[in-house]
Amino acid sequence: KDRLASIRMGKYSVDVPEHSKSCKARGSNLRVHYKNTHETAEAIKGLSLQRAQKYLRDVIEHKDAIPFRKHMGGVGRKAQVKKYKGATQCRWPVKSCKFLLDLLTNAESNAEILSLDTESLYITHIQVNRAPKMRRRTYRAHGRINAYMSSPCHVEMILSAKAEKDNVKKGDSAGSNAVARRATQGGGGFTE
């Protein structure tokens, strides 16, 4: 029975550590380019739900860009990509952004059904896989016919709530503030 239940529900590539603090969304055989969607998904991985939605809307309006890091053959260099470390090429894949925005909206609805706080949700997992190619044909010179394939994709994402941070006053942590605390106590950390 467990095997049949997992087939009906759809299997995700990773297991969720805490089911009570996370929600999922997925799309199969989406009619959108795999390469563009992969780069867009990599750009929003790790962002909060609201930040990712704003970023994708900005890309659709050409106010921001998606840096292309893996599938970058023939992608032009643009000035908007300067703010992203290690990237020199970018694009504005509008259709991929719209599909991912719809999936984020679906995940947000799933979170509301599970009574999760949507303000604290972050994209902990997003994955884009190639789907089977769809076939059309195009007509060439001298009566020939060539393949005209599309490259659809499967997308899955998991959003999880970040753990609540301890309410620690500034200066009480033992991190970089410890040096500043020693300096204010006198001596600056040096002993004579």
Side-chain angles (χ1 to χ4, degrees), residues 79-121:
Q80 275 189 349
V81 81
K82 286 180 186 174
K83 62 181 168 184
Y84 300 107
K85 189 173 183 178
T88 57
Q89 295 158 290
C90 70
R91 275 188 177 165
W92 302 271
V94 171
K95 193 172 177 183
S96 295
C97 290
K98 286 181 180 175
F99 271 83
L100 287 177
L101 260 174
D102 291 343
L103 273 176
L104 286 172
T105 305
N106 185 277
E108 188 176 14
S109 300
N110 294 344
E112 288 170 359
I113 289 171
L114 296 170
S115 64
L116 294 173
D117 180 25
T118 56
E119 300 290 323
S120 64
L121 289 178

Side-chain angles (χ1 to χ4, degrees), residues 114-131:
L114 296 170
S115 64
L116 294 173
D117 180 25
T118 56
E119 300 290 323
S120 64
L121 289 178
Y122 284 80
I123 301 171
T124 53
H125 168 75
I126 184 165
Q127 179 175 317
V128 181
N129 295 331
R130 290 182 196 267

Side-chain angles (χ1 to χ4, degrees), residues 33-81:
H33 292 307
Y34 161 75
K35 292 181 179 182
N36 290 346
T37 310
H38 174 270
E39 298 289 353
T40 309
E42 286 297 313
I44 65 169
K45 187 184 286 185
L47 297 181
S48 69
L49 176 63
Q50 281 73 25
R51 175 71 187 102
Q53 288 174 330
K54 182 184 182 316
Y55 177 51
L56 292 176
R57 283 192 210 99
D58 285 349
V59 171
I60 290 170
E61 296 170 2
H62 288 228
K63 292 179 184 174
D64 210 336
I66 301 290
F68 275 56
R69 301 175 195 276
K70 183 179 179 183
H71 306 290
M72 53 191 202
V75 178
R77 298 186 297 236
K78 302 283 185 278
Q80 275 189 349
V81 81

Side-chain angles (χ1 to χ4, degrees), residues 143-157:
R144 292 173 299 132
I145 293 175
N146 280 3
Y148 206 71
M149 312 288 273
S150 69
S151 301
C153 60
H154 308 305
V155 182
E156 65 181 41
M157 63 175 66

